[in-house]
């Protein structure tokens, strides 16, 4: 039965909050009967393990948002299925005036949204989309000759130059809550089991702000709680990026740079979607990577005999988080000392990181492997022993994650660092020679 009232749908995706939500703000401001909805997308969920911690997190947030909206007399409609099919059904059964959502810049999401757009176009229902997830998106930051940036520092300088306070202004959705559609009999929330998932033992930790003032001094020490842990919150939009940038401007400019790295990698993926599957510098597709499943398994399980690498891999497996410095060390170890494809490591991180974000994960993996734009040069090979001396000198981080360290139970190193380093240099230099280029 069609509702008599023409409804405005607001589709939540990676913006799981009501406050300072750009798309929701305009939906409420410009319409009278706004009904938010969320879809647990089977095409994404089907590739995940039933214990996936990200799904437990999203499920909790969605349940909370539903309650919050129900308290205001409205609802958050929650669906489980394929978005196109769900919208088709809604459009055929309800009286839909229009659809609002915030943009998602990942290649698969762009494809999905273009399909939904067609569906609404056929029915002559307008669709409006907004930038919410980033400060600058798509091609908003370009060189003076209108090309995308490939190097971070000039990108960052342009980003800072273009930033205006108005871009950080809060979108006060609460001023327009009266436009939420009043629902007489609210929909019952699904159970996590209905989606084929069980509650994960790993939870998304709350952000920590204590260390922010000293972020520039603490951020490289994995044992310190010196980073913010906002990663998953920015990924799923439980925090607004505009509020984070405002905070960064007050508290620490080094932290602001990190938020800009996130935007840098997003625009790399936007302009070069091929990086999702291949090296940004295509010549490195020729590297003769080793594909040793046994050694790859030892890396995944944190059993390489290199304590800083193993500690990081165990932190990841146990918490869904790994400190940035250690992400760099473990990624460098996999792609250089073990000479294995960066795509393997990228995929494993994607399965486990609570803050997994295609653009950032891909960009950083390619940075570490030396295959990306503005990447560490291929001959920069982190020595895990020297990295430990510098960033975990008392081995506090290592002992935290490897309780059996300094017992006979801890394995011997699986390789000789010097030999492995030379092997990597030869493999990369071979490509350089083949191409005859200055890479
Ligand atoms: P903070 O240090 O407090 O930084 C604040 C925020 O800035 C982060 O939450 C993140 O949104 C952004 N940020 C910080 N560093 C980077 C960076 N190098 N690149 C892009 N954004 C950054 N970050 C992700 O968000 N998702 C990923 O999937 C991801 N994969 C990575 C894979 C590898 C191999 C490496 C080396 C880094 C990866 N990073 C990724 C970047 C970085 O490690 C994490 O953002 C950071 O550790 C998250 O912790 P935090 O929230 O406490 O960050």
């Amino acid at each position: 039965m069609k509702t008599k009232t023409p409804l405005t749908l607001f589709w939540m995706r990676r913006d799981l909050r009501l406050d300072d939500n750009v798309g929701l703000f305009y939906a409420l401001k410009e319409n009278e009967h706004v009904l938010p909805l969320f879809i647990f997308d089977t095409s994404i969920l089907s590739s995940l393990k039933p214990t996936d911690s990200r799904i437990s997190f999203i499920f909790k947030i969605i349940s909370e948002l539903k309650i919050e909206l129900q308290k205001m007399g409205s609802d958050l409609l929650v669906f489980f299925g394929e978005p196109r099919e769900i919208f088709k059904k809604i459009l055929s059964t309800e009286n839909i005036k229009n659809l609002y959502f915030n943009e998602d810049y990942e290649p698969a999401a762009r494809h999905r949204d273009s399909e939904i757009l067609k569906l609404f176009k056929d029915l002559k229902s307008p669709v409006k989309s907004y930038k919410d997830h980033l400060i600058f998106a798509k091609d908003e930051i370009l060189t003076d000759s209108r090309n995308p940036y490939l190097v971070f520092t000039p990108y960052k300088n342009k980003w800072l130059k273009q930033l205006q306070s108005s871009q950080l202004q809060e979108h006060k959705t609460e001023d327009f809550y009266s436009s939420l559609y009043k629902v007489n009999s609210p929909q019952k929330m699904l159970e996590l089991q209905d989606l084929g998932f069980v509650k994960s033992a790993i939870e998304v930790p709350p952000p920590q702000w204590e260390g922010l003032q000293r972020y520039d001094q603490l951020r490289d020490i994995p044992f310190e709680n010196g980073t913010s842990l906002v990663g998953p919150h920015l990924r799923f939009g439980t925090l607004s990026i505009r509020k984070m940038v405002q905070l960064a401007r007050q508290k620490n400019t080094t932290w602001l740079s990190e938020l800009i790295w996130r935007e840098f990698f997003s625009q790399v993926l936007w302009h070069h979607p091929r990086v999702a599957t291949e090296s940004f510098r295509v010549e490195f597709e020729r590297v003769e990577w080793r594909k040793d499943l046994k050694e790859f398994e030892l890396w995944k399980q944190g059993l390489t005999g290199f304590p800083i690498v193993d500690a990081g891999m165990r932190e990841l497996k146990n918490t869904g988080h790994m400190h940035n410095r250690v992400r760099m060390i473990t990624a460098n170890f996999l792609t250089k000392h073990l000479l294995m494809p960066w795509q393997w490591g990228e995929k494993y991180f994607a399965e486990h990181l609570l803050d997994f974000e295609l653009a950032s994960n891909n960009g950083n993996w390619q940075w570490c492997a030396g295959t990306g734009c503005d990447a560490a040069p291929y001959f920069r090979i982190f020595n895990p022993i020297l990295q430990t001396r510098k960033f975990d000198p008392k081995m506090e981080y290592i002992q935290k994650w490897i309780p059996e360290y300094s017992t006979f139970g801890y394995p011997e190193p699986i390789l000789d660092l010097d030999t492995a380093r030379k092997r990597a240099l030869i493999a990369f230099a071979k490509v350089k020679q083949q191409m005859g280029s200055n890479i």
Side-chain angles (χ1 to χ4, degrees), residues 54 296 341-353 356 361 365:
R54 281 83 50 108
F296 183 54
W342 58 264
Q343 288 94 336
W344 284 19
E346 183 200 23
K347 182 166 179 284
Y348 184 73
F349 271 32
E351 284 163 9
H352 289 267
L353 280 176
F356 163 60
N361 197 37
W365 267 97

Side-chain angles (χ1 to χ4, degrees), residues 18 36 65-76 180:
L18 299 183
L65 284 173
K66 195 169 172 65
I67 292 172
E68 205 178 334
L69 284 157
Q70 286 181 353
K71 279 187 185 154
M72 290 191 255
S74 187
D75 202 0
L76 170 67
L180 284 167

